[in-house]
Amino acid sequence: MNIAAKALIAAAAAAALAAPILAQQRGNARLPAECRAEITALCGSDRAQIRTCLREKYAELSDGCAKSLGERMAARRGNGEGARRGPGMRAQGGVGQYASARISSTVIYGKDARQQVDIYTPDDAVGDAPLVLFVHGGGWQMGDRARVQAKPQHFKEAGYVFASAGYRLLPGSPVEQQAADLGAALQALRAQAETGGFDPDRIVLMGHSAGAHLAALVATDPQYAGEAFGAIRGVVLLDGAGYDVPAAIATPTMEMPLLYRDVFGTDPARQKALSPITHVGGKDAAHWLALYVAERANAKAQSEALMAALAKAGKDASALAITGTDHGRMNRELGTEAGKAQTEAVDAFLARVFG
């Protein structure tokens, strides 16, 4: 599918949502209540904002909500195309058909259903493979550890054990608890490293969007991971824009500032405490790579500022712009030919960290 066609699909999705999302109009069927709540949490309720938001963040919708949206688009057009494929997904043979990998084991580190980590172990793992631990995005309010696309298969084939962490979400669990969950997940993983087939002292955190913020926070502020902190050898950040929360909220062009204020509150001290850049200069992880979508000015500014601060503190840290992609594709195409630029950058980084 060419760029123009993808843009049309994204625009159609945004238009379909931006019309009667939260209320029934002109005889159109309402989206399920949970899907409407999910869209509101992700994009707000302003129609103009929803159009812009969904063009970029469609990939962060749950599978059920994306399916409902596709069916609604099909009903509006009077054909089955949307129901079959859904806006933002690719046709047969494209990137939407991701290589699958079977979960080898699941580590439960708490009582909540989200406090689990899925592990994908290569068949030939001998117990000393490095571990890549992925932290999903979703605006600190949604997301699922199961939505890993091609990443498990790609990293397994490269000789790594891949894991995807779930964590509790807003509104029930504030950001502090989410970071604590990831720290607890690290500790639980290390305790079961032999079963998982990986080296407990060679771990790279990788996060996308809100997950990038959480990964950076856990890798700069040792209070969350505790004794597991020293096992974090490196960090890969995928298109995050919240490493300096006060600066992000104060930026006039900030995307969805209300979301950030809802998540981080209005207390400057709390905003600062939850900013990874605040903690740079202490016991930071040694190696960092921040990838950002070239056209996203806020992600660029935040990524470059964090990497510059880490480099000044003596860490191996670099920020890299990725062209020809968007916020969702940066994540979901990692490990595929369509995501060659980010895949090669991450592979080279991991080889350097673990080489």
Side-chain angles (χ1 to χ4, degrees):
M1 184 179 295
N2 60 34
I3 293 175
K6 288 184 285 188
L8 285 173
I9 288 177
L17 277 166
I21 296 178
L22 305 177
Q24 187 171 352
Q25 298 178 8
R26 295 194 298 273
N28 290 303
R30 291 165 62 95
L31 289 168
E34 61 272 19
C35 185
R36 299 198 307 274
E38 185 176 331
I39 292 165
T40 300
L42 181 64
C43 296
S45 57
D46 180 80
R47 293 182 183 181
Q49 180 176 322
I50 290 172
R51 289 188 180 95
T52 301
C53 171
L54 283 176
R55 287 189 181 97
E56 182 173 313
K57 294 181 177 276
Y58 179 85
E60 295 184 19
L61 292 175
S62 67
D63 291 339
C65 189
K67 181 176 182 292
S68 296
L69 174 58
E71 291 171 346
R72 187 172 184 280
M73 287 178 61
R76 286 170 63 86
R77 288 197 303 265
N79 61 58
E81 180 69 11
R84 287 196 304 273
R85 208 166 64 202
M89 294 188 68
R90 309 301 171 85
Q92 182 71 28
V95 180
Q97 306 302 315
Y98 297 111
S100 61
R102 179 175 296 179
I103 297 171
S104 304
S105 59
T106 296
V107 172
I108 299 173
Y109 66 90
K111 296 181 179 180
D112 191 278
R114 290 186 175 274
Q115 292 175 308
Q116 301 185 32
V117 185
D118 294 331
I119 303 176
Y120 303 79
T121 305
D123 295 336
D124 57 353
V126 294
D128 61 352
L131 173 71
V132 176
L133 176 59
F134 181 71
V135 184
H136 68 76
W140 302 272
Q141 305 175 69
M142 63 187 71
D144 191 324
R145 71 181 188 276
R147 301 191 70 186
V148 287
Q149 297 89 22
K151 289 184 281 294
Q153 190 66 29
H154 172 77
F155 290 111
K156 282 177 58 175
E157 290 176 356
Y160 304 104
V161 173
F162 181 86
S164 180
Y167 55 93
R168 292 171 295 170
L169 302 171
L170 285 168
S173 298
V175 175
E176 293 88 343
Q177 290 183 9
Q178 296 177 20
D181 275 3
L182 293 172
L186 273 169
Q187 294 177 33
L189 281 168
R190 294 184 74 239
Q192 300 190 38
E194 184 175 353
T195 302
F198 61 89
D199 186 334
D201 295 319
R202 294 201 297 164
I203 299 173
V204 159
L205 291 182
M206 176 187 298
H208 171 246
S209 193
H213 163 267
L214 290 169
L217 184 61
V218 171
T220 53
D221 188 348
Q223 70 165 306
Y224 297 109
E227 63 183 15
F229 185 86
I232 305 172
R233 296 292 186 87
V235 186
V236 176
L237 307 176
L238 304 175
D239 209 41
Y243 310 128
D244 184 340
V245 175
I249 292 176
T251 301
T253 58
M254 178 64 195
E255 300 153 345
M256 295 181 291
L258 291 178
L259 169 64
Y260 272 63
R261 285 195 287 271
D262 288 345
V263 170
F264 296 103
T266 58
D267 178 7
R270 180 173 183 251
Q271 293 175 358
K272 185 176 180 180
L274 292 174
S275 298
I277 201 167
T278 298
H279 307 286
V280 170
K283 296 180 179 180
D284 311 308
H287 304 278
W288 294 75
L289 174 66
L291 305 181
Y292 60 88
V293 175
E295 293 76 19
R296 289 190 75 211
N298 296 317
K300 170 182 168 65
Q302 289 270 319
S303 297
E304 291 183 345
L306 179 61
M307 294 303 103
L310 286 160
K312 185 176 180 180
K315 306 305 178 183
D316 165 32
S318 59
L320 178 65
I322 302 296
T323 60
T325 189
D326 59 34
H327 184 69
R329 290 171 55 207
M330 171 76 82
N331 172 50
R332 69 175 181 266
E333 292 179 352
L334 182 61
T336 73
E337 183 61 28
K340 183 177 181 180
Q342 60 263 43
T343 302
E344 289 183 346
V346 172
D347 286 349
F349 173 78
L350 294 176
R352 185 170 75 251
V353 173
F354 297 125

